[in-house]
Amino acid sequence: MTYIWQKNEGDLIKIGSEAADLVFEWAWTAGKKKFAADLFDPSLPKSIFIKTMMTEHLETLKGNLIKIKDKHLISEIEAFRLIRPHALITTNYD
């Protein structure tokens, strides 16, 4: 992550775009079997692959909300799911 951060000088838009580009390249090669054939339609934006992955991930979180005890976290996840964002940028320093 620090490589991409430094390469893009901390510009979150550029970082998000690069992440979308990396997923796009992967989707058309090794990850091709992970996506529905209709996502490879040339009229769709290349960001469709990362958006699809994030949507699937958020759907799995929705199914696990019952197991989450923190009410603030539950409401935050639910609010995020309802706004249907066009982009998602996260950082993970683990």
Side-chain angles (χ1 to χ4, degrees), residues 20-34:
D21 288 346
L22 291 169
V23 172
F24 171 78
E25 294 297 329
W26 173 77
W28 274 90
T29 56
K32 198 158 192 167
K33 293 180 181 178
K34 305 263 184 198

Side-chain angles (χ1 to χ4, degrees), residues 51-91:
K51 290 177 182 179
T52 299
M53 290 176 68
M54 292 309 303
T55 299
E56 291 171 357
H57 179 66
L58 290 174
E59 285 297 322
T60 64
L61 289 178
K62 183 176 102 176
N64 291 324
L65 287 179
I66 295 169
K67 298 175 188 174
I68 299 173
K69 305 290 186 215
D70 184 336
K71 290 183 182 182
H72 295 290
L73 182 58
I74 292 170
S75 63
E76 184 176 333
I77 292 170
E78 186 62 21
F80 186 70
R81 186 181 66 80
L82 292 173
I83 64 170
R84 304 183 71 106
H86 76 282
L88 177 67
I89 300 173
T90 65
T91 58

